[in-house]
Structures are given as structure tokens and as C-alpha cells.
Amino acid sequence: MSDFLISTSNLHKSYQLAKESIPVLNGINIEVTQGEIVAIVGSSGAGKSTLLHILGGLDVPTEGSVLFRGKDIFDKNDLEQYRSRTIGFVFQFHHLMSEFTAMENVMMPALIKRVPQKQSREEAKQILRDVGLANRLNHMPSQLSGGEQQRVAIARALINEPDLILADEPTGNLDSHTGEGVFQMLEDIVRKKNKTMIIVTHNEKLSERADRIIRLIDGMVWG
Ligand SMILES: Nc1ncnc2c1ncn2[C@@H]1O[C@H](COP(=O)(O)OP(=O)(O)O)[C@@H](O)[C@H]1O
Ligand SMILES: [Mg+2]
């Protein structure tokens, strides 16, 4: 039994385009402990998003494995549950549903999990408070600033109390000041709740606030 929350073993990924096989990940071995905040940095095209998607069970490796609490996530027949409950995913683009309020967007994953409406509402309210949006509950996404939209997306990723938060450049579309605020908020919540986070960022300054930095170059871990 491994001591790591999540680890990968000799992870390879290539995409098949026409007759050509394009290697993207070339043997990734990483290990992340419960409670750690790990930043993944690397230039555009290095394979960061591909790696994060595979860690979250959103894409499958060509070779190698991902172990979560010692079990291969692709072996289990509860991959759906792993994706929706164990992992909280935050994307660069918020992907909020434009027809629904901030509160409704955040409630959605809880409702899908069949948490009763009233309880989902209370939990959504609490987590929106935690991300600093207590007074934006009934705003539509279009009525929110970029930073606020991303806070809602983070609240939505957190409502089901995932063990592991995977964030793919969550501040990539924000100006540096707003991005810093969102990063700080995310870091505070993760530390307060003793969660684990793997966060992809382009921002060197922000990455230094993580416990550890993993550098990805051409689909390989550097150093
Ligand atoms: N679905 C796909 N089909 C073919 N190639 C892809 C696909 N997704 C990503 N790639 C390629 O894989 C490489 C790594 O992409 P990505 O993981 O998105 O990099 P990063 O997030 O580090 O910028 C890029 O060269 C990209 O063009
Ligand atoms: Mg990317």
C-alpha cells in the first residue's frame, strides 16, 4: 500500500493524428502526499493539461498507471465516482452555466450527488461565503467580474468536499492582482480544510507559494 495520496508510474500519453503518433507525456513519475500543494509549471505545450486530465480520470494514458490511495483509478469500475466526488476540477475557463445564478451553479454537483435541495443550498451558501462571495449569491455569471466568476467555479469544485483539487491555470485569464487574490483564496481554503491540491500555473511568483514545484519539459519531469 502506497503512502501517497496520488502517484503515477511511467505515465505515457500520445495522441493519434491521422497515421502519426504524437508523444505528449513521456514517462511521468510523480508522488503527492495528503495535504500537499504542488505546482506544475512548464511552457505551453509541455503536457500540463494532459497530465492533469489523466490524474482526474478525464483522459486515459497510453501506458502507465495512476494510483489514488494505492489503487489504479482506471481499474476501478467507479471511475465516474472518482471524477465527480474524489476530485474537484477547476479549469482556466470557468465553464459556469450562464442561465443559472452563482448559487445554483455551485449547488449543481451536490444535487447531482442527490444531496437534498435545502442542504445543497445551505452548503452552497457556506462555500460561497468561504470564497468571499456572500453578497453575490443571486448574481448571474454575466453579472460577475472575471475573478468572481472564477471564485464561483472554485466553490463549485469544492462543494462535494473532494479529497484532491486539480486546478488548471485557474488564474490564467485574470490580471495579476486579481489572479493573486484568487490564488491566495484557493490556497487558504485548501490549507484550512487540509485538502491536497495540484495546480498548474504559468506564474512563477505564484508557483513559489506551493510546497513543491514540478517542472514539466516536453512531457517529462525536470529535475
Ligand atoms: N486531443 C489532442 N489531440 C492531439 N494533440 C493534442 C491533444 N490535446 C493536446 N495535444 C497536444 O499535446 C501537447 C500538450 O498539450 P497540453 O497538455 O494541453 O499542454 P499544456 O497544458 O502544457 O500547454 C500539445 O502539443 C498539444 O498540441
Ligand atoms: Mg494547458
Side-chain angles (χ1 to χ4, degrees):
M1 183 75 185
S2 115
D3 289 336
F4 302 110
L5 182 69
I6 190 165
S7 63
T8 69
S9 167
N10 194 30
L11 211 56
H12 284 75
K13 175 73 180 180
S14 45
Y15 288 107
Q16 205 66 35
L17 276 187
K19 290 221 167 89
E20 211 186 337
S21 173
I22 300 169
V24 175
L25 300 180
N26 302 304
I28 303 273
N29 296 294
I30 61 173
E31 291 158 341
V32 176
T33 308
Q34 159 74 41
E36 260 193 313
I37 295 183
V38 174
I40 297 183
V41 303
S43 54
S44 181
K48 305 182 298 295
S49 294
T50 303
L51 174 59
L52 218 59
H53 289 160
I54 293 175
L55 295 179
L58 302 174
D59 199 352
V60 288
T62 316
E63 198 189 315
S65 57
V66 177
L67 301 187
F68 187 87
R69 296 195 200 283
K71 283 196 203 138
D72 190 325
I73 63 168
F74 298 105
D75 268 356
K76 299 194 285 184
N77 42 18
D78 50 359
L79 184 58
E80 194 50 50
Q81 165 132 348
Y82 174 76
R83 284 192 197 116
S84 61
R85 301 195 190 180
T86 308
I87 300 295
F89 221 107
V90 184
F91 300 92
Q92 178 172 2
F93 302 97
H94 57 75
H95 298 299
L96 295 175
M97 293 176 291
S98 60
E99 307 297 311
F100 293 89
T101 64
M103 172 115 105
E104 289 163 346
N105 268 281
V106 175
M107 283 170 71
M108 205 63 75
L111 293 174
I112 290 169
K113 207 178 99 180
R114 297 183 190 283
V115 175
Q117 180 120 4
K118 187 156 175 264
Q119 189 186 337
S120 299
R121 191 172 290 278
E122 283 314 307
E123 288 175 5
K125 232 188 243 181
Q126 180 56 50
I127 192 94
L128 277 162
R129 238 178 256 139
D130 291 346
V131 300
L133 293 178
N135 53 0
R136 295 287 187 278
L137 304 182
N138 297 312
H139 280 53
M140 306 305 282
S142 64
Q143 298 169 324
L144 298 169
S145 71
E148 289 168 344
Q149 290 169 345
Q150 203 54 316
R151 284 168 193 260
V152 175
I154 289 166
R156 180 186 53 185
L158 295 174
I159 190 166
N160 283 344
E161 291 281 339
D163 294 322
L164 174 64
I165 293 126
L166 299 174
D168 192 359
E169 302 199 45
T171 65
N173 282 330
L174 306 174
D175 64 76
S176 65
H177 178 74
T178 307
E180 219 162 283
V182 169
F183 189 99
Q184 182 69 58
M185 180 275 295
L186 192 50
E187 185 188 347
D188 288 347
I189 292 188
V190 168
R191 297 216 190 268
K192 192 177 96 194
K193 292 178 178 271
N194 191 29
K195 303 282 184 192
T196 307
M197 176 162 72
I198 303 176
I199 182 166
V200 170
T201 177
H202 257 105
N203 186 321
E204 285 283 336
K205 202 171 120 203
L206 293 182
S207 70
E208 281 163 13
R209 298 235 294 265
D211 299 318
R212 186 154 63 90
I213 298 177
I214 292 176
R215 286 180 200 283
L216 219 56
I217 299 179
D218 293 337
M220 284 183 279
V221 173
W222 190 253

